Amino acid sequence: MSIISDDNKFTGDSAQKDSKKHSDFHKNPVIKAESIECDKNFENSIRPKSFDAYIGQSALKETLKITIAAAKKRELPLDHLLFYGPPGLGKTTLAGVIAEQMGVNIRITSAPALERPRDIIGILMSLKGGEILFIDEIHRLNKVAEEILYPAMEDFFLDMTTGKSQTVKTLRVPLPKFTLIGATTKAGELSGPLRDRFGIIHRLEFYTEDELAQVITRTAGILNIEITSEGAHAIARRSRGTPRIANRLVKRVSDFALVKHDGKITEDVANESLDILKIDNYGLDCTDRNLLKLIIEKYDGGPVGVETIAAAIGEDVRTIEDVCEPFLLQAGLLQRTPRGRKVSPAAYRHLGYKDIDINEQKSLFQ
Ligand code: ADE
């Protein structure tokens, strides 16, 4: 299988080389699940290539194994697939595993790179039979690109127009049978007609502590980092259910273990270094805590609009919605209401506010 990537995903490079790029990390110790350019080579070097090596998402893996086996038996390409869920849970990785298992090439791009009609037409026309086209952030596809995709997905045709006004002609250009894998953090923003053209739609779930500890142990093994099971669990607990964050933290903690200790990641070493990185027991970082504190201290616990929050903490709305909020919602620290965001009593407790504040807040929740 080969990987042709528009944004450098799935192209191997040595992880050690990359760790130097992180040396300024301690100045700004915020670790989020969105992809940062300099982390991509590192991510690529540790991506699993088989379902056995891919940890977690077991229900989805079972479905995919059957779908792949059936497609191979029928000697047909896979149905189009849509993966949705918070960033960092392994949507791109899974697409790579699928391509590997099907024994086909994968072409990786993202919706913002398909701005002009010729971008999407060019990619579709360059595909070969059975290949996989992976479009990340597919909810950001513009209307024109979407309309080019409909007949391509449904009937493997491109409807092209030639000529001007009265002499305009429509040409149906056949395409090879391909599989589209779309990934999105916002399934709700996909248009109905586009969503309906995917044969399989699946949500990726946050990982359990045990699953993340396995991911961490695997990554440490690949990077030759010594780690105890307790050390792996200590990192897992603060990784917000997200393998991408877990993998980044392994590297940060490993730097700390090397410089301050003997290089081995134990529970104490992991906890000490994560405390220094200001990642708390819930895995929250400074931005998350600032967001919750802002709502508590300036807006009496909410509700308050996301635009107001974004302006006050100096983040953009998309980062708050796509990166911070999914985990805060899942952890029960934040609630989304029609009138805005509200913090929960658990958030008050977690941030060390007194019972009196919590009681006041509880009455607001009733
Ligand atoms: N790295 C990132 N996601 C992973 C997963 N699900 N399993 C193993 N390694 C990973």
Side-chain angles (χ1 to χ4, degrees), residues 29-34 238-240 242 245 277-296 309 313 315 319-329 331 333-334 343 347 350-351 353:
V30 177
I31 294 190
K32 288 292 188 193
E34 68 205 318
R238 302 202 206 184
S239 297
R240 306 164 65 102
T242 307
I245 294 180
L277 293 173
K278 295 193 166 48
I279 294 165
D280 68 24
N281 298 335
Y282 262 80
L284 307 193
D285 61 29
C286 301
T287 313
D288 303 311
R289 286 191 295 271
N290 287 344
L291 185 154
L292 296 173
K293 277 184 188 162
L294 174 91
I295 304 177
I296 290 172
I309 299 172
I313 64 168
E315 283 288 352
T319 305
I320 291 183
E321 284 184 342
D322 294 357
V323 182
C324 300
E325 283 189 347
F327 182 74
L328 294 175
L329 293 165
L333 297 171
L334 192 71
V343 294
H350 177 62
L351 294 173
Y353 289 89

Side-chain angles (χ1 to χ4, degrees), residues 25-26 29 31 231 234-235 238 248-261 264-280:
F25 175 78
H26 296 274
I31 294 190
I235 300 175
R238 302 202 206 184
R248 287 187 189 154
L249 288 179
V250 179
K251 276 184 71 185
R252 300 286 69 77
V253 174
S254 153
D255 289 351
F256 182 87
L258 198 63
V259 175
K260 297 271 187 195
H261 298 276
K264 182 171 171 179
I265 302 178
T266 62
E267 184 172 11
D268 285 347
V269 169
N271 284 333
E272 197 184 328
S273 108
L274 293 168
D275 287 345
I276 289 171
L277 293 173
K278 295 193 166 48
I279 294 165
D280 68 24

Side-chain angles (χ1 to χ4, degrees), residues 43 46-48 50-57 61 88-91 93-94 207 211 214-216 218-219 222 242-244 247:
E43 281 184 29
I46 56 169
R47 275 187 209 279
S50 66
F51 283 119
D52 285 343
Y54 187 99
I55 295 149
Q57 313 295 344
K61 274 196 319 191
L89 299 189
K91 297 185 275 292
T93 305
L94 203 50
Y207 288 59
E211 288 168 345
Q214 287 178 53
V215 170
I216 289 164
R218 176 182 176 276
T219 301
I222 294 170
T242 307
R244 185 181 291 155
N247 284 332

Side-chain angles (χ1 to χ4, degrees), residues 43-337:
E43 281 184 29
N44 291 332
S45 68
I46 56 169
R47 275 187 209 279
K49 301 262 185 315
S50 66
F51 283 119
D52 285 343
Y54 187 99
I55 295 149
Q57 313 295 344
S58 42
L60 174 54
K61 274 196 319 191
E62 288 318 304
T63 308
L64 289 173
K65 280 184 198 168
I66 292 176
T67 312
I68 290 172
K72 280 183 169 171
K73 260 193 168 171
R74 291 193 188 106
E75 298 183 12
L76 284 174
L78 274 182
D79 263 1
H80 304 302
L81 293 141
L82 179 68
F83 295 146
Y84 69 97
L89 299 189
K91 297 185 275 292
T92 315
T93 305
L94 203 50
V97 171
I98 292 169
E100 196 75 39
Q101 300 308 302
M102 286 294 292
V104 298
N105 292 335
I106 180 165
R107 183 79 193 246
I108 297 179
T109 188
S110 70
L114 304 173
E115 214 175 290
R116 300 158 304 177
R118 72 172 128 124
D119 298 323
I120 182 101
I121 290 171
I123 276 201
L124 288 169
M125 291 191 62
S126 71
L127 291 172
K128 298 195 179 67
E131 285 188 346
I132 292 177
L133 172 62
F134 179 83
I135 304 183
D136 204 3
E137 298 187 74
I138 195 160
H139 61 278
R140 294 175 67 185
L141 221 49
N142 62 46
K143 211 69 243 110
V144 177
E146 261 194 31
E147 275 170 15
I148 292 170
L149 260 187
Y150 296 155
M153 288 174 76
E154 212 158 68
D155 303 317
F156 304 105
F157 271 108
L158 269 182
D159 280 328
M160 310 258 270
T161 49
T162 57
K164 284 195 184 136
S165 49
Q166 274 112 338
T167 61
V168 73
K169 276 195 191 128
T170 308
L171 216 66
R172 298 214 99 188
V173 180
L175 291 171
K177 292 202 166 80
F178 68 98
T179 298
L180 176 67
I181 304 184
T184 177
T185 51
K186 292 189 167 172
E189 286 189 13
L190 231 64
S191 73
L194 182 56
R195 206 173 35 236
D196 290 347
R197 284 171 170 82
F198 288 97
I200 297 176
I201 301 181
H202 222 290
R203 184 188 149 83
L204 272 78
E205 303 294 340
F206 281 112
Y207 288 59
T208 63
E209 181 186 319
D210 277 346
E211 288 168 345
L212 285 180
Q214 287 178 53
V215 170
I216 289 164
T217 306
R218 176 182 176 276
T219 301
I222 294 170
L223 300 180
N224 270 324
I225 295 167
E226 216 187 326
I227 190 165
T228 65
S229 163
E230 294 77 14
H233 277 269
I235 300 175
R237 276 193 290 280
R238 302 202 206 184
S239 297
R240 306 164 65 102
T242 307
R244 185 181 291 155
I245 294 180
N247 284 332
R248 287 187 189 154
L249 288 179
V250 179
K251 276 184 71 185
R252 300 286 69 77
V253 174
S254 153
D255 289 351
F256 182 87
L258 198 63
V259 175
K260 297 271 187 195
H261 298 276
D262 61 357
K264 182 171 171 179
I265 302 178
T266 62
E267 184 172 11
D268 285 347
V269 169
N271 284 333
E272 197 184 328
S273 108
L274 293 168
D275 287 345
I276 289 171
L277 293 173
K278 295 193 166 48
I279 294 165
D280 68 24
N281 298 335
Y282 262 80
L284 307 193
D285 61 29
C286 301
T287 313
D288 303 311
R289 286 191 295 271
N290 287 344
L291 185 154
L292 296 173
K293 277 184 188 162
L294 174 91
I295 304 177
I296 290 172
E297 291 178 6
K298 295 265 188 331
Y299 298 97
D300 283 335
V304 54
V306 68
E307 288 84 6
T308 309
I309 299 172
I313 64 168
E315 283 288 352
D316 64 69
V317 170
R318 184 172 284 154
T319 305
I320 291 183
E321 284 184 342
D322 294 357
V323 182
C324 300
E325 283 189 347
F327 182 74
L328 294 175
L329 293 165
Q330 135 102 16
L333 297 171
L334 192 71
Q335 290 185 337
R336 229 183 231 163
T337 75

